Amino acid sequence: FLIASDDLRRVTEELSRAGLEVLGFYHSHPDHPAIPSAFDVEHAWPWYSYVIVRVDRGQAAELTSWELEPDRSAMRSEFLEVFSEV
């Protein structure tokens, strides 16, 4: 997953005018753990949450959220509570 900084800046400004903000990003890891890869860490920004969904054989299996350490050394797990209405 990558987003150009100019695109993110434009979207962030548009959302701000609407009273909204970008809290983070999500992506999936098909048939791999829902932990950040080296690529994820290298391309993350410290002030966003990164939700990762582990997908096993086409089915969502695990959902985790991560935040980059301020010194960009690693990602740390953050609490994630999922609410579902049936």
Side-chain angles (χ1 to χ4, degrees):
F1 71 97
L2 289 175
I3 184 168
S5 57
D6 287 342
D7 291 337
L8 179 59
R9 188 177 307 109
R10 180 182 47 76
V11 169
T12 299
E13 288 170 0
E14 289 175 13
L15 289 172
S16 179
R17 285 192 294 274
L20 302 170
E21 65 181 302
V22 176
L23 299 177
F25 307 93
Y26 77 94
H27 67 283
S28 63
H29 282 190
D31 301 314
H32 288 283
I35 59 174
S37 66
F39 182 90
D40 295 339
V41 175
E42 183 178 329
H43 292 89
W45 289 304
W47 47 88
Y48 292 110
S49 293
Y50 292 86
V51 174
I52 302 175
V53 181
R54 186 183 86 224
V55 178
D56 291 338
R57 289 173 284 219
Q59 298 293 318
E62 180 184 18
L63 185 70
T64 61
S65 186
W66 303 84
E67 184 177 32
L68 186 65
E69 294 285 353
D71 67 1
R72 303 186 57 88
S73 63
M75 300 280 269
R76 71 170 177 266
S77 177
E78 33 179 28
F79 177 74
L80 180 66
E81 188 170 1
V82 179
F83 296 92
S84 176
E85 291 188 31
V86 179

